[in-house]
Amino acid sequence: MRQLGINLNHWYVVAQSKELSAQPLAVSLWHQPIVLYRDRTGSPIALEDRCPHRQVKLSEGTVAGGNIACAYHGWQFAPNGSCAHVPYLEPQQKLPTCQLRQYPVQERDGFIWLFPGEAALAEQTSPLSVPEWEHLNFIGSLTTIDVQAHYSFLIENLMDMYHGHLHGGAQVWANPVLAELEADDVHVHAHYAAESYYRIDKIWSASQLIFPPLRQLHPEPLDVYYYYPHWRSTLGDDFVIYCLFCPVSETHTRAYLLHFTSLERFPKLHKTPLAVRRFIKRAFTNSASFLLRRLVREDVLMLEQEQQAFEQHPTYRGPELNRALTAVQQLIRQQAAESGGVGSRRVGE
């Protein structure tokens, strides 16, 4: 389980849009070094991060027009991966026919999405939609998760609402009970009956985060979804949370954690000029990041201990009482089997 690869025939997030500027950006997705850059029109391009001349990283180079130029000898490669220019090519010489792998890539909802599997299958599926990113009725916060552990540990952590015990008063929900579980070969949906003390339309309720004795709990539905390979959660009508995955290897996982607060409970706000609403969205963006970072630090500590324990005792299987996690494990196994079980590493890796 803790060594299974990913199903490559899905869209994964490899960067935020704002991370990809005029210079090449090196990323890694399941043992595959990839270089991202923008072409003349600003569209993202994704190629394997390797100059076929001397095998150095193209991400160390520069962008030349719509091409990427190697830092070592200045060889240039076109967006389709073909060699486009060699500075010292002699008149009688032809351009090398070497070809770099080009990856299907999309930019949407503030992120760069990449399809690492069979390119012909990329159009048969779409990246997970994050409509709240641009919607003026949602205030977003973002933090990055970088954990030295297998991705299955992180997704289990996200699906397991009982682990809120770890975060103490930093959680806005309490007393979860797994009420319903739905699963198939592409997703798992766990519905927890829970309680919350926070109300977005009652600003004073935020003080309960700092002063636990003031808390007044009320019932609130808590739903978590694993849309392989990504995660989404809702707490009542006020909060939507995403975790967008970029598994790097069997022992390294990167992900983007997004938290959105809905403003739907403020009908008068929706009647204000668009310029005012845009200002409010910009002004409060990342207002919850400090809390997200605390939660992530606490989770990462536990996940890395789980990974270390697995490496020391790989045959140990502890008891699991949460049915949502056994459903998640089954889905991961099914998806890994569809991709050959080991994540389809490239030859030579």
Side-chain angles (χ1 to χ4, degrees):
M1 178 68 195
R2 309 306 178 184
Q3 295 174 313
L4 287 176
I6 63 173
N7 187 336
L8 298 175
N9 292 319
H10 288 274
W11 289 92
Y12 294 83
V13 165
V14 290
Q16 284 185 261
S17 291
K18 68 178 184 180
E19 293 178 281
L20 186 56
S21 59
Q23 297 302 313
L25 178 66
V27 298
S28 293
L29 175 57
W30 203 255
H31 300 282
Q32 299 182 48
I34 298 164
V35 59
L36 304 174
Y37 73 97
R38 294 188 183 275
D39 64 13
R40 296 178 188 270
T41 67
S43 299
I45 303 297
L47 300 172
E48 59 179 302
D49 194 4
R50 176 187 65 88
C51 178
H53 177 215
R54 292 296 180 92
Q55 305 293 310
V56 300
K57 292 182 177 295
L58 282 174
S59 55
E60 300 286 349
T62 57
V63 177
N67 301 331
I68 185 168
C70 180
Y72 201 0
H73 292 87
W75 287 31
Q76 294 184 20
F77 296 88
N80 65 3
S82 63
C83 184
H85 175 68
V86 176
Y88 50 87
L89 192 72
E90 297 183 11
Q92 74 278 11
Q93 293 178 317
K94 295 182 179 180
L95 283 173
T97 57
C98 46
Q99 180 70 38
L100 295 173
R101 180 180 178 183
Q102 179 189 26
Y103 293 86
V105 63
Q106 294 187 33
E107 182 171 17
R108 57 186 292 178
D109 298 328
F111 291 90
I112 306 298
W113 299 77
L114 186 140
F115 193 90
E118 298 288 337
L121 301 178
E123 295 183 1
Q124 298 181 15
T125 184
S126 299
L128 180 66
S129 179
V130 187
E132 297 85 358
W133 184 265
E134 297 290 348
H135 202 296
L136 292 181
N137 288 354
F138 291 88
I139 303 297
S141 296
L142 168 69
T143 192
T144 302
I145 301 174
D146 197 299
V147 57
Q148 301 300 313
H150 190 266
Y151 69 90
S152 64
F153 285 121
L154 177 55
I155 193 63
E156 289 176 20
N157 167 275
L158 293 165
M159 292 295 293
D160 182 9
M161 295 299 99
Y162 297 122
H163 93 273
H165 175 80
L166 170 67
H167 303 303
Q171 289 284 10
V172 298
W173 46 263
N175 305 321
V177 176
L178 182 60
E180 298 177 36
L181 182 64
E182 180 182 312
D184 56 29
D185 59 351
V186 294
H187 94 296
V188 174
H189 170 202
H191 170 68
Y192 292 85
E195 295 180 308
S196 176
Y197 60 81
Y198 190 79
R199 294 183 184 274
I200 186 61
D201 57 340
K202 300 185 184 300
I203 302 301
W204 61 266
S205 69
S207 63
Q208 298 176 89
L209 182 64
I210 304 172
F211 304 106
L214 299 179
R215 291 180 180 172
Q216 301 176 18
L217 293 171
H218 61 273
E220 200 77 271
L222 178 58
D223 290 88
V224 290
Y225 306 83
Y226 184 26
Y227 300 113
Y228 187 97
H230 307 292
W231 177 86
R232 181 177 183 268
S233 173
T234 60
L235 178 61
D237 297 323
D238 292 338
F239 301 104
V240 184
I241 309 173
Y242 293 84
C243 192
L244 308 178
F245 277 68
C246 179
V248 178
S249 71
E250 291 86 350
T251 58
H252 184 191
T253 302
R254 280 181 53 82
Y256 292 91
L257 186 65
L258 298 86
H259 178 284
F260 293 100
T261 301
S262 172
L263 301 180
E264 294 287 351
R265 293 185 186 268
F266 300 94
K268 293 183 179 180
L269 181 64
H270 306 157
K271 299 178 182 179
T272 59
L274 286 177
V276 174
R277 296 177 63 192
R278 291 192 181 100
F279 171 78
I280 292 174
K281 184 177 178 74
R282 288 195 303 268
F284 288 95
T285 291
N286 283 326
S287 56
S289 292
F290 75 98
L291 180 59
L292 293 182
R293 288 193 294 269
R294 170 188 163 173
L295 300 177
V296 167
R297 284 195 303 269
E298 294 172 347
D299 281 335
V300 165
L301 178 64
M302 296 294 102
L303 299 177
E304 292 185 346
Q305 288 184 22
E306 286 188 283
Q307 178 67 41
Q308 293 162 10
F310 164 73
E311 293 172 357
Q312 294 171 3
H313 306 284
T315 61
Y316 176 76
R317 295 184 62 182
E320 182 51 68
L321 304 181
N322 187 343
R323 292 179 291 121
L325 302 200
T326 55
V328 163
Q329 292 171 357
Q330 183 176 355
L331 176 55
I332 289 174
R333 290 190 182 96
Q334 289 175 344
Q335 289 286 338
E338 290 182 16
S339 191
V342 295
S344 300
R345 290 197 196 181
R346 292 173 61 83
V347 174
E349 291 184 344

